Amino acid sequence: MNRPPREIDLRIDARWVIAVEPGGVLERHALIVDDGRIVALCPQHDADAAFAAAARVACDEHVLIPGLVNAHTHAAMTLLRGVADDLPLDTWLERYIWPLEARYVSAEFVRDGVELAVAEMLCGGVTCFNDMYFFPDATAAACDAAGMRAMLGLPVLDFATAWAPDAEGCLQRGFEARDRWKHSALLVFALAPHAPYTVGDRTWGTIVTYARQLDLPIQTHVDETRLEVEKSLVATGETPLARLDRLGATGPGFIGIHCVHVDSAGIELLARQGCHVVHCPASNMKLASGVAPVAAMLDRGVNVALGTDGAASNNRLDLFSEMRLAGLLAKVVSGDAAALPAATLLHMATLGGARALGLDRSIGSLEVGKAADVVAVRFGDPETLPVFDPRAHLVHAAGREHVSDVWVAGRHLVNRGVLTTVDRGAVAARARSWQSRLR
Ligand SMILES: [Zn+2]
């Protein structure tokens, strides 16, 4: 006698599925989801007999991929999008961004900015982001309300900000926020000293101690500009990354953001210590910081993820465009058209990001047992036809405008382009109100 079909929550039938791990492209498969997790990925005709789904979504001209991981951003800075452009990093930060933040940043600013960022990222297929910004409890509340997954970096700077008077205040307020939200299923935390040049040795020592005691990752901007590296060499005789290594900050829990100006000794250090790197090509190009040696880092076995950085230096939170830019940049600087192929870029934007955040056991690929963080991308428009290789299409032909559906932990957060948990009109109205206040 045949067994009755197993009752499950959701079945998604797709023309193509790219699980990322294992690699390759599956055709006409069904992704089976129950209680927020992937329970099977099988040919559609096999699913008919095996499963009875409470809900079924047909993605007949779509590719299913794991949710994209934006491994570095400052989500609330969407409210500063386009406020100061065409400037190098030091001028941009010191003359524009820091004074604006000192004047305007508050819990309300962060909540409104993060809601805007979450709306933008979800519609663009990003299901998890790694944040570094003030008022992380406001970020947590906005993520919780939307059903968005995130790693929240508790920001630390040695000088007074809208968030805290000094590094000690940053840590105290950060830990209070973590205590309030640490049991949330979708949120994890990291320590986020802003950069080697804004945090002194004593504070780095404290951060390293906390990271070990609490088993928290450390994320920081490092070796971002030539000027940063030169100033550090003059002051200490070491590159910023070498200094952090001497202070005990590097290791498998270390996320180095940018790493544009790492030399071969720096790449060796990153590999030896098992560090992760977040490559942010658009931000690095826009601030004229340079080009990170991504192909060399990957060749040496360093895990490299992709990030957008904040909307004030990008100005979009768009992982599709980061994949494409990362690929094109790697090809042009190496003179090798084979550098960073589409499968590698998709891996960086999904499992690479998950690994950097220490979440690769639960997200980053469409494997049985993992959370159902899933994105459907439609290849039905003139600009995405015909389709020979869906992976190359994701990177070089499609864009975030082709994302149709998004699930986080099995929850349908974007349904045929419509946000289900975020009030798009209200978010837009609040963004416009900040536009007049910031003027
Ligand atoms: Zn940044």
Side-chain angles (χ1 to χ4, degrees):
M1 210 173 88
N2 287 341
R3 268 212 330 229
R6 175 179 167 187
E7 291 187 7
I8 48 98
D9 293 337
L10 171 66
R11 167 177 171 173
I12 311 168
D13 288 351
R15 176 68 182 81
W16 301 278
V17 179
I18 301 173
V20 171
E21 187 66 52
V25 179
L26 302 170
E27 302 214 21
R28 295 197 170 83
H29 271 54
L31 188 80
I32 310 297
V33 177
D34 197 43
D35 202 19
R37 301 203 161 269
I38 298 167
V39 295
L41 175 57
C42 58
Q44 288 168 16
H45 55 82
D46 291 351
D48 294 340
F51 302 102
R56 189 165 169 176
V57 178
C59 294
D60 298 333
E61 47 186 3
H62 305 63
V63 56
L64 278 194
I65 57 172
L68 302 175
V69 178
N70 183 357
H72 174 60
T73 192
H74 314 278
M77 290 182 89
T78 44
L79 293 178
L80 301 176
R81 192 195 324 260
V83 86
D85 291 302
D86 306 323
L87 297 161
L89 177 68
D90 51 344
T91 316
W92 176 78
L93 265 180
E94 289 163 23
R95 293 230 206 113
Y96 295 90
I97 297 301
W98 283 343
L100 276 169
E101 287 182 334
R103 183 152 173 215
Y104 290 105
V105 169
S106 63
E108 183 199 6
F109 176 99
V110 171
R111 189 201 60 209
D112 292 351
V114 172
E115 280 184 349
L116 185 64
V118 166
E120 178 183 357
M121 286 193 279
L122 281 176
C123 287
V126 173
T127 55
C128 176
F129 67 100
N130 180 25
D131 203 54
M132 178 198 283
Y133 211 63
F134 312 112
F135 298 92
D137 36 7
T139 307
C143 291
D144 187 64
M148 179 76 162
R149 193 183 300 279
M151 169 178 269
L152 304 184
L154 310 177
V156 184
L157 292 103
D158 270 339
F159 52 85
T161 61
W163 170 235
D166 52 22
E168 203 179 314
C170 285
L171 285 164
Q172 192 189 327
R173 295 198 72 181
F175 288 139
E176 285 166 10
R178 175 175 171 264
D179 285 344
R180 271 195 292 282
W181 291 98
K182 67 182 173 190
H183 299 297
S184 161
L186 296 176
L187 300 175
V188 292
F189 293 84
L191 290 161
H194 169 263
Y197 57 90
T198 49
V199 177
D201 283 11
R202 213 168 75 97
T203 303
W204 274 104
T206 309
I207 287 166
V208 168
T209 304
Y210 276 125
R212 288 201 188 121
Q213 281 176 357
L214 302 171
D215 196 21
L216 288 173
I218 297 175
Q219 52 165 309
T220 192
H221 301 100
V222 63
D223 289 11
E224 181 174 0
T225 64
R226 195 173 301 283
L227 187 67
E228 176 198 341
V229 176
E230 282 168 2
K231 280 184 174 173
S232 174
L233 286 169
V234 169
T236 67
E238 301 158 301
T239 66
L241 181 64
R243 176 176 150 236
L244 299 190
D245 184 54
R246 171 173 54 79
L247 295 169
T250 56
F254 181 82
I255 307 166
I257 299 153
H258 299 308
C259 294
V260 170
H261 293 280
V262 284
D263 55 11
S264 52
I267 294 173
E268 211 45 51
L269 190 165
L270 291 165
R272 188 174 64 244
Q273 295 285 34
C275 304
H276 307 273
V277 168
V278 183
H279 177 41
C280 305
S283 176
N284 295 161
M285 283 196 276
K286 186 159 182 282
L287 298 168
S289 301
V291 185
V294 175
M297 291 193 271
L298 289 171
D299 282 348
R300 191 56 195 81
V302 178
N303 177 45
V304 183
L306 287 176
T308 58
D309 214 339
S313 69
N314 187 308
N315 301 352
R316 50 207 290 168
L317 308 182
D318 178 359
L319 257 281
F320 281 84
S321 87
E322 300 301 329
M323 281 196 286
R324 183 153 193 258
L325 289 172
L328 297 180
L329 259 182
K331 291 174 196 306
V332 80
V333 297
S334 65
D336 177 8
L340 265 61
T344 303
L345 291 160
L346 185 62
H347 189 279
M348 290 164 72
T350 54
L351 197 53
R355 195 167 286 157
L357 275 49
L359 295 175
D360 49 313
R361 286 167 63 135
S362 50
I363 59 165
S365 58
L366 301 180
E367 290 177 271
V368 171
K370 285 196 176 182
D373 289 15
V374 187
V375 171
V377 186
R378 192 174 155 268
F379 289 163
D381 294 317
E383 67 272 21
T384 53
L385 289 170
V387 185
F388 298 109
D389 178 353
R391 286 174 305 191
H393 247 36
L394 283 167
V395 172
H396 294 296
R400 62 178 174 183
E401 65 275 20
H402 300 111
V403 168
S404 69
D405 293 82
V406 177
W407 294 263
V408 173
R411 219 173 143 199
H412 206 171
L413 301 188
V414 179
N415 185 348
R416 296 308 191 227
V418 178
L419 287 159
T420 64
T421 54
V422 178
D423 182 340
R424 201 183 181 111
V427 167
R430 285 194 283 275
R432 286 195 192 96
S433 137
W434 279 104
Q435 180 185 324
S436 25
R437 283 162 77 177
L438 282 155
R439 213 165 244 159

